[in-house]
Amino acid sequence: QVQLVESGGGLVQPGGSLRLSCAAPGSIFNINDMGWYRQAPGKQRELVATITSTTRTNYADSVKGRFTISRDNAKNTVYLQMNNLKPEDTAVYYCKTKTIWGTEYWGQGTQVTVSS
């Protein structure tokens, strides 16, 4: 099964920064939307940010002004720059891509822990 490869998670103090990366293998063609989601313990998975093929972005209200999503189409990669991290940002972060035909692919998840 084709899966996206995520990296960049870890432990950071409140106010710190992390940059997540997610690479889709070359076997995935015609990617349209790319995005990041997260799931905290005991909670449902929620949208963090998305970016379309025309670089239109959408953010959850809780991360606006702190997180920035970007993509490199040549590398089939999506990034999430997270600044001014808060303890409530602690979660497993998942990336997702969606092709122009509607097929979705997910990453395996990367843990982000914000704690002093």
Side-chain angles (χ1 to χ4, degrees):
Q1 183 176 354
V2 178
Q3 198 167 43
L4 311 180
V5 179
E6 300 162 355
S7 61
L11 173 64
V12 64
Q13 292 186 343
S17 297
L18 284 174
R19 188 187 192 218
L20 305 182
S21 299
C22 173
S27 57
I28 300 179
F29 296 98
N30 293 308
I31 294 174
N32 191 2
D33 296 343
M34 306 182 84
W36 290 93
Y37 296 74
R38 66 187 182 187
Q39 187 166 18
K43 294 187 177 181
Q44 290 188 329
R45 190 174 297 189
E46 64 177 4
L47 180 148
V48 176
T50 60
I51 184 168
T52 69
S53 58
T54 57
T55 67
R56 186 173 74 246
T57 59
N58 180 52
Y59 294 93
D61 287 343
S62 60
V63 307
K64 283 181 181 177
R66 301 188 297 121
F67 291 10
T68 302
I69 189 170
S70 60
R71 63 190 285 171
D72 184 335
N73 291 330
K75 297 180 179 180
N76 265 11
T77 299
V78 61
Y79 305 96
L80 185 68
Q81 178 66 44
M82 305 185 293
N83 297 328
N84 190 22
L85 282 159
K86 304 176 180 180
E88 51 264 41
D89 294 318
T90 295
V92 178
Y93 284 69
Y94 299 89
C95 66
K96 186 183 83 170
T97 65
K98 187 175 181 179
T99 69
I100 59 174
W101 300 290
T103 304
E104 296 181 349
Y105 299 90
W106 287 88
Q108 79 285 358
T110 185
Q111 177 70 45
V112 171
T113 302
V114 185
S115 175
S116 55

